[in-house]
Amino acid sequence: MDVSQLPDITGLLVRPDNPPREDVEGMDYSRCVALYNYLIQYAWLAEGRPLATLNSNSTNFFTVHGAEAEAIRPRLDPSVVAFLDNAIIPPWEDFGETPLSIFASALNWPQSLFAEVEADLEDQPVDSMLRLCYVALSTDDSNGGVIYHQRHHRVAIFMHTDDWGFGFPVKDHPDVWNPFETVLSHWIDMINIGKVVAAPHEEPALFEFEKIGPWEWRPYSEAQITTCVDAWDRLCQAIETRISQLPNPPSLISSGSRTDTDNLEPLVALSVLDAASVLDPCFTRSFLSRARRPSFQYIAPGLLLPPADLSGFVALQTFTALPLSQYTVPPVCLFPADTGYQRPIELTRFTSPWVLMEDFYSSSTDTHTPSHISAGLYTTAVDRKWDDMAEDGFQLFLPFTVNAGYDRKVGARKSDGELVDRDSFSGLFQHGFKPFGGNYYRPQRLERLLDCWRKLVEDGVWSVGPDGVEGTIDTFKDAETESRWRNYYISPTW
């Protein structure tokens, strides 16, 4: 696929240094049209069709739907009209409409454009909510959608019927509602890093995944390995910098000596990963074998580097030697809790974060699956043929629960600002509602956790001593406090 044929939309993507414009009334339709059309053109090109055919045969919402579309024009904000006037609607092909992304189908028809029932249920003004597209990558797409609010000029993506409650009242959920150009930029970013790929719809997916038109979700990409290793290096450098500033720093990183930056020993050697039956290939194997091993011991309060020796690392791995189905990727313990905090954690269908993966919680006494695990940071369990899977995800298992009790107003929070589930031991640093699309079970990315921890080191929230980050694993209980919960919160993204 020759992406050089596509228009250059780099300057239109939403970035920290290129945010949504604030001087626009309504939708920034010219920016949204360019990003939307880029996705349509990308999908068209991925199907092996020339862009010239698209450009010569495509049309727009009002031309395609004629009188039916014209009848609703007065009910639409002028900026939305301008968007629909310029957004490409490709010609209908034998296999149906061209979906906008892995998360969204094609633009809706006029009779389905207004989310009238939902607007009434959520006590929103008449004609205020548009279902621009139905959602894809969902088991319940009948009442979900890419919802544009004409009063606030923001978009929310509700994957399921029961997701609507996360978005109302609108003013109370600013992280759920985003400018349309922000959503489109995130979708394009996922393509650029290879998390979502596109190829002719008839070509089988890599892991028997059910494609959305040409779009295919991948459990991880090469670019994600690289950026995660980079995030690891930034965290190590932040810790090493503070160790070097101690009154009597260890000799390995004292002034004028060889630093850890020069140490190319991997976190875990390939021979050790082989002995522990860590899948080849997988995200975890690539990360552990490419990330460098620093000389300090503690990467976070009470959390150690993985053992470098074969017997020590193998002993940590509870799941890798279990019988597995063809596309199953088992969890791997990356950073174990210090030996003083190894209270066993019971995994059941009610307590395991891997509720959809029966291989990884004990459902009966005759199962091979261990009923308890030790505290620490683990990669997530994945079935590669399922949608919305993320091998780069993680769970932090704590030897205690957070947010105990009912009717809490203060406590650990997820990325959407909602409280972590009551009595959870694995909910810290996780997503919550995903404003850019995605199912509830996809975990947060390891890269984002490492960047969060780096900030805690750089801001002095976590102190650093000769052995690395100081404190015990009980430090994570600070997430429940009113003054410190934000330190243990990762802002929303895909």
Side-chain angles (χ1 to χ4, degrees), residues 131-389:
R131 184 181 276 107
L132 294 179
C133 311
Y134 281 104
V135 292
L137 203 69
S138 172
T139 56
D140 174 25
D141 61 2
S142 59
N143 291 306
V146 179
I147 306 301
Y148 185 85
H149 203 298
Q150 294 201 101
R151 299 297 183 271
H152 299 276
H153 298 291
R154 293 291 187 269
V155 165
I157 302 172
F158 301 119
M159 301 294 291
H160 304 274
T161 301
D162 54 3
D163 282 349
W164 288 81
F166 290 106
F168 297 92
V170 175
K171 63 181 178 60
D172 293 342
H173 297 85
D175 290 333
V176 172
W177 296 88
N178 291 277
F180 194 24
E181 60 266 33
T182 301
V183 174
L184 295 169
S185 294
H186 274 80
W187 290 351
I188 293 171
D189 286 342
M190 296 174 76
I191 297 169
N192 289 339
I193 67 169
K195 183 66 176 178
V196 173
V197 299
H201 68 281
E202 68 273 10
E203 289 187 8
L206 186 60
F207 300 112
E208 298 182 10
F209 172 80
E210 184 177 350
K211 294 167 69 172
I212 309 298
W215 303 110
E216 177 186 347
W217 179 271
R218 290 286 174 85
Y220 71 97
S221 71
E222 182 65 28
Q224 286 186 285
I225 298 168
T226 299
T227 55
C228 193
V229 170
D230 289 344
W232 168 259
D233 199 52
R234 290 191 295 269
L235 172 58
C236 290
Q237 288 178 7
I239 296 171
E240 289 161 353
T241 296
R242 278 141 191 84
I243 294 177
S244 70
Q245 296 167 351
L246 295 173
N248 296 296
S251 58
L252 278 177
I253 53 175
S254 61
S255 177
S257 69
R258 179 181 174 87
T259 68
D260 275 4
T261 305
D262 302 315
N263 182 0
L264 299 181
E265 178 189 356
L267 261 178
V268 183
L270 287 173
S271 58
V272 175
L273 296 172
D274 288 338
S277 300
V278 175
L279 197 66
D280 184 11
C282 71
F283 176 88
T284 304
R285 184 185 186 89
S286 296
F287 171 74
L288 289 174
S289 61
R290 297 185 197 180
R292 66 182 176 92
R293 188 174 190 87
S295 61
F296 56 80
Q297 299 181 54
Y298 288 91
I299 195 64
L303 294 180
L304 293 158
L305 296 180
D309 64 291
L310 187 150
S311 60
F313 185 80
V314 170
L316 279 179
Q317 307 313 323
T318 307
F319 301 106
T320 55
L322 294 175
L324 302 172
S325 57
Q326 181 180 3
Y327 295 126
T328 299
V329 182
V332 172
C333 181
L334 297 180
F335 308 123
D338 200 346
T339 53
Y341 298 90
Q342 288 294 353
R343 180 176 66 82
I345 298 167
E346 184 178 14
L347 292 184
T348 69
R349 64 179 303 176
F350 303 107
T351 63
S352 172
W354 308 309
V355 292
L356 300 180
M357 305 283 292
E358 293 186 7
D359 288 341
F360 303 116
Y361 62 81
S362 181
S363 56
S364 66
T365 56
D366 59 354
T367 181
H368 294 289
T369 306
S371 59
H372 294 80
I373 62 170
S374 298
L377 186 78
Y378 289 70
T379 57
T380 195
V382 166
D383 188 328
R384 286 172 166 171
K385 69 177 182 295
W386 287 5
D387 60 31
D388 219 3
M389 289 282 106

Side-chain angles (χ1 to χ4, degrees), residues 91-164:
W92 188 278
E93 295 293 322
D94 293 340
F95 51 85
E97 295 177 300
T98 301
L100 177 59
S101 81
I102 194 76
F103 292 122
S105 61
L107 274 178
N108 254 333
W109 290 36
Q111 64 266 35
S112 303
L113 191 62
F114 287 91
E116 296 172 324
V117 173
E118 291 80 8
D120 182 58
L121 289 173
E122 300 298 342
D123 198 25
Q124 298 301 296
V126 174
D127 290 348
S128 63
M129 297 203 312
L130 306 177
R131 184 181 276 107
L132 294 179
C133 311
Y134 281 104
V135 292
L137 203 69
S138 172
T139 56
D140 174 25
D141 61 2
S142 59
N143 291 306
V146 179
I147 306 301
Y148 185 85
H149 203 298
Q150 294 201 101
R151 299 297 183 271
H152 299 276
H153 298 291
R154 293 291 187 269
V155 165
I157 302 172
F158 301 119
M159 301 294 291
H160 304 274
T161 301
D162 54 3
D163 282 349
W164 288 81

Side-chain angles (χ1 to χ4, degrees), residues 24-29 32 77 79-80 83 132 148 153 180:
V24 177
E25 290 189 13
M27 180 193 294
D28 187 351
Y29 69 87
C32 291
D77 184 87
S79 64
V80 176
F83 171 78
L132 294 179
Y148 185 85
H153 298 291
F180 194 24

